[in-house]
Amino acid sequence: MTIKTHKDSTKLTVNVEGRIDTATAPEFEQKTKAELDGVTELVLDFSELNYISSAGLRVLLSLQKTMNKQGSMKLIGVNETVRDIFEVTGFSDILTVE
């Protein structure tokens, strides 16, 4: 998994490449949460994400709860495989997926 972050004033964009699973979810959570100070808009770019496990979904839920308090969160570039996981788990009703 490769994570790239770009902060522009109060907007944080996080590009994730590879897989978010049990092994990589803690790193994804730590790196993203470390950048959230003063952020009102979080954009997760999943155009290079191949897979997300339940551990990754837990991190997304945690990030969504944080951003509900300080702004908004959206996911962009979600491929069909990951989108299917969101739909089966009900996360498509919780998250903003564009």
Side-chain angles (χ1 to χ4, degrees):
M1 178 185 69
T2 305
I3 300 170
K4 295 177 188 161
T5 61
H6 174 74
K7 200 169 191 177
D8 181 18
S9 185
T10 59
K11 178 181 178 180
L12 174 65
T13 303
V14 180
N15 298 77
V16 185
E17 182 180 330
R19 298 167 54 96
I20 302 174
D21 54 25
T22 305
T24 59
E27 178 188 359
F28 170 57
E29 182 173 31
Q30 185 271 327
K31 283 189 174 181
T32 304
K33 286 194 170 184
E35 301 276 339
L36 288 182
D37 226 13
V39 170
T40 58
E41 182 182 0
L42 174 60
V43 178
L44 300 176
D45 185 346
F46 282 177
S47 53
E48 299 295 322
L49 184 71
N50 304 325
Y51 173 79
I52 188 164
S53 73
S54 58
L57 294 175
R58 183 194 59 76
V59 174
L60 291 182
L61 191 59
S62 175
L63 291 171
Q64 182 66 63
K65 286 181 180 179
T66 300
M67 292 311 298
N68 282 344
K69 296 175 187 164
Q70 65 188 66
S72 65
M73 179 176 107
K74 69 179 175 181
L75 285 66
I76 62 171
V78 178
N79 69 30
E80 193 174 322
T81 303
V82 174
R83 191 177 295 270
D84 286 347
I85 293 168
F86 290 157
E87 288 175 12
V88 167
T89 58
F91 271 67
S92 55
D93 297 330
I94 300 168
L95 303 173
T96 302
V97 182
E98 295 182 357

